[in-house]
Amino acid sequence: MKHGEELPPLEIEVTRTLIVAGAIASRDYQDVHHDAESARRRGSPDIFMNILTTNGLVGRYITDHFGPGAVLRKVAIRLGAPNYPGDTMVLTGTVVEVEGAIATVKVIGANGIGTHVSGTVTVTVPPGSAS
């Protein structure tokens, strides 16, 4: 791992099942994450992904790249454009800092309407881990 290294993009199909399953798995029972009619009544065109699912997908992106020995130390993200069913989110990342076995990666997840998530992830990568 080195400063400026770009991680390969990861495309994630945003399905209705992914949105609902992520909400259930994270115990987020807000109706806007599983009930399209309730989401529309609240001004959204459809259900949308919750931040906990997004956070998990960002973590997966980093550990998929750096390998099973990688340890997430800090995930600091902000949400932007919602992830609606039928769209695709593309995660990209760039290593912005390296200090020994610790790297900070700038992550962006974009969909058809804009930037869904942006932020940084700090990860410890043990010696000999793939990247």
Side-chain angles (χ1 to χ4, degrees), residues 13-85:
E13 297 298 318
V14 181
T15 64
R16 193 166 296 281
T17 301
L18 175 63
I19 293 169
V20 174
I24 291 169
S26 61
R27 295 182 175 193
D28 182 348
Y29 303 117
Q30 279 283 45
D31 55 6
V32 296
H33 303 308
H34 64 85
D35 184 330
E37 285 304 313
S38 292
R40 282 193 272 282
R41 278 195 302 274
R42 293 175 180 240
S44 178
D46 205 338
I47 63 171
F48 53 91
M49 186 176 285
N50 71 355
I51 192 169
L52 298 170
T53 303
T54 299
N55 195 64
L57 293 170
V58 167
R60 169 194 159 197
Y61 176 57
I62 298 298
T63 57
D64 279 359
H65 179 74
F66 289 107
V71 177
L72 301 178
R73 297 295 179 188
K74 180 179 179 184
V75 178
I77 60 171
R78 294 184 69 130
L79 291 184
N83 263 344
Y84 293 118

Side-chain angles (χ1 to χ4, degrees), residues 100-123:
I102 299 173
T104 300
V105 181
K106 179 180 177 184
V107 177
I108 295 176
N111 60 32
I113 56 177
T115 299
H116 169 67
V117 62
S118 60
T120 58
V121 179
T122 303
V123 59

